Amino acid sequence: MILSKVTDLIGNTPILGIPIPSKKTRLLLKIEKNNPGGSIKDRMARNMIVAAMRSGRLQPGGVVVESSSGNTGIGLAIAAIEFGLRFIAVVDHHAAPDKIAVMRALGAEIRYVEGDYREDEVAVVERQRLAAEVASKIPGAVFMNQSDNVANAGGYFDFVREVIDQVQGPVDAYVGCVGTGGSMTGIARGLKLHNPRTRTIAVEPAGSIIFGQPGRPYYQSGTGTPKGDTVGLVLDYSCIDLGVQVTDAQAFETARYFAQHTGLLVGGSTGGVLYKALEFIHSGMIAGNVVAVVADGGEKYLHTVFNEAWLKERNIIDPTVWAQLDGWLAKDVVEELPRTNDRLKVA
């Protein structure tokens, strides 16, 4: 099949199975880094633009403005090219430099927020304020506001369809990161419509306020809701069975471990998802077909997550995580993988 535009490459990403020794479980990684913009956010970014154009909010030749830590911005930049739109990304110092470079390469205009912020402090409140202000001053501009945009969650319909087709059996559990809540809400709703027994687990950084824990700074990028911000309207708690936190060290060490043991480069937030998925599989909380999302690739974090000097300077090194992962993924005992009719087991 010969496709006609880059956005036709969005979706139909593969699933990689990771065998779990001594457990009747398959850890199934949906490789969303294979989307053209390198992340799962390509799906919702294009869907938000399409929805805005269909409703008449966004006209041909118009301007899209969004606050982004990078991945949504990259997806919007690609979609803007498809529809002949101008795109302005409002970013802060917390965004990975490589993500900003990609947005610029795709023709996006970059606006930085001003202010004195700590290195591990996400300036999302000021980003949102500035993005709304920029859009209000430009004729024909639309502030996408992904946190409150229903088209965010609606962009994951095809993700759910693909997973159901690929697994060819029950999806017993789904583990994903949660930030605005768009992907978690859209995917969890869809999976539960297909199979109400699917267990959905949302992972936020330790320091995020989504599940009511005290807020504090964190280094994980593009995930969580920082102290001082409010949880977006797009997040539907009712479709999430369990909300959990993961530390920067657990997330980043897991990403580094997977790179060196599987050859798969995953981003920091994905490292957190994999850590919690393996922890819950090992404890017996989830089993069967466990789907986890590789939201983006580690190629965007070579100067941070995969830079040992950077990690040491910030005291994010923790060798005990590697020891845990060695135990959870030991290769000496491998049992038969679960049959398609195996059900989720909850401790």
Side-chain angles (χ1 to χ4, degrees):
M1 178 186 297
I2 298 176
L3 305 177
S4 61
K5 56 185 183 297
V6 168
T7 53
D8 289 338
L9 298 170
I10 297 173
N12 296 310
T13 57
I15 284 183
L16 175 67
I18 303 294
I20 306 297
S22 72
K23 301 286 182 181
K24 291 185 177 181
T25 297
R26 291 189 301 178
L27 179 57
L28 304 173
L29 308 186
K30 182 71 165 160
I31 311 299
E32 288 293 288
K33 63 178 279 184
N34 281 21
N35 285 306
S39 86
I40 193 173
K41 298 295 186 70
D42 286 0
R43 296 178 185 264
M44 56 80 95
R46 186 180 186 277
N47 197 60
M48 289 194 301
I49 285 182
V50 169
M53 296 187 76
R54 284 177 176 170
S55 70
R57 289 178 61 226
L58 183 61
Q59 299 296 322
V63 182
V64 173
V65 182
E66 181 60 333
S67 159
S68 173
S69 62
N71 283 332
T72 297
I74 291 170
L76 287 170
I78 292 172
I81 292 171
E82 175 186 357
F83 294 105
L85 305 168
R86 176 185 170 195
F87 173 53
I88 302 172
V90 178
V91 304
D92 63 18
H93 64 291
H94 203 264
D98 288 337
K99 292 182 183 178
I100 295 173
V102 171
M103 285 190 283
R104 280 203 175 103
L106 292 168
E109 302 171 38
I110 307 297
R111 306 279 181 92
Y112 282 92
V113 301
E114 297 180 352
D116 186 17
Y117 298 98
R118 287 176 45 172
E119 184 188 40
D120 55 357
E121 182 181 5
V122 187
V124 66
V125 175
E126 177 59 15
R127 276 197 345 231
Q128 292 281 93
R129 186 204 66 77
L130 180 58
E133 178 183 298
V134 169
S136 70
K137 294 180 178 179
I138 300 175
V142 173
F143 171 37
M144 280 292 147
N145 193 14
Q146 59 180 309
S147 296
D148 298 338
N149 192 325
V150 295
N152 179 345
Y156 296 100
F157 174 85
D158 283 341
F159 179 102
V160 174
R161 176 186 55 77
E162 292 166 22
V163 166
I164 292 169
D165 288 345
Q166 290 168 312
V167 173
Q168 294 185 336
V171 176
D172 296 299
Y174 172 77
V175 188
C177 49
V178 58
T180 65
S183 63
M184 193 69 213
T185 296
I187 294 168
R189 278 179 181 167
L191 289 174
K192 282 183 174 292
L193 282 173
H194 182 74
N195 176 14
R197 298 177 64 183
T198 299
R199 183 90 162 156
T200 55
I201 299 172
V203 182
E204 67 171 340
S208 169
I209 64 169
I210 292 173
F211 297 110
Q213 296 300 311
R216 60 180 173 81
Y218 55 85
Y219 282 101
Q220 292 171 67
S221 175
T223 184
T225 298
K227 181 180 180 180
D229 194 12
T230 56
V231 178
L233 298 178
V234 74
L235 179 60
D236 179 4
Y237 286 96
S238 70
C239 63
I240 299 172
D241 294 313
L242 182 64
V244 297
Q245 293 198 327
V246 66
T247 67
D248 288 336
Q250 290 167 340
F252 296 169
E253 293 285 19
T254 302
R256 296 170 66 222
Y257 182 97
F258 264 74
Q260 295 188 27
H261 287 79
T262 70
L264 182 66
L265 277 171
V266 304
S269 64
T270 295
V273 165
L274 297 179
Y275 180 87
K276 300 308 289 189
L278 289 167
E279 179 183 56
F280 291 143
I281 289 170
H282 183 72
S283 70
M285 179 181 290
I286 54 178
N289 291 318
V290 177
V291 174
V293 63
V294 176
D296 71 352
E299 296 86 350
K300 298 171 182 175
Y301 309 96
L302 298 179
H303 298 94
T304 52
V305 175
F306 295 95
N307 183 328
E308 193 161 329
W310 185 89
L311 294 172
K312 286 181 177 178
E313 288 172 3
R314 292 154 183 81
N315 195 30
I316 314 179
I317 295 284
D318 185 357
T320 65
V321 174
W322 287 58
Q324 285 179 314
L325 294 168
D326 277 338
W328 294 339
L329 291 169
K331 304 298 183 183
D332 52 343
V333 179
V334 180
E335 290 190 0
E336 180 185 356
L337 294 179
R339 297 180 298 276
T340 57
N341 63 349
D342 281 344
R343 307 306 306 166
L344 176 68
K345 301 174 181 63
V346 181

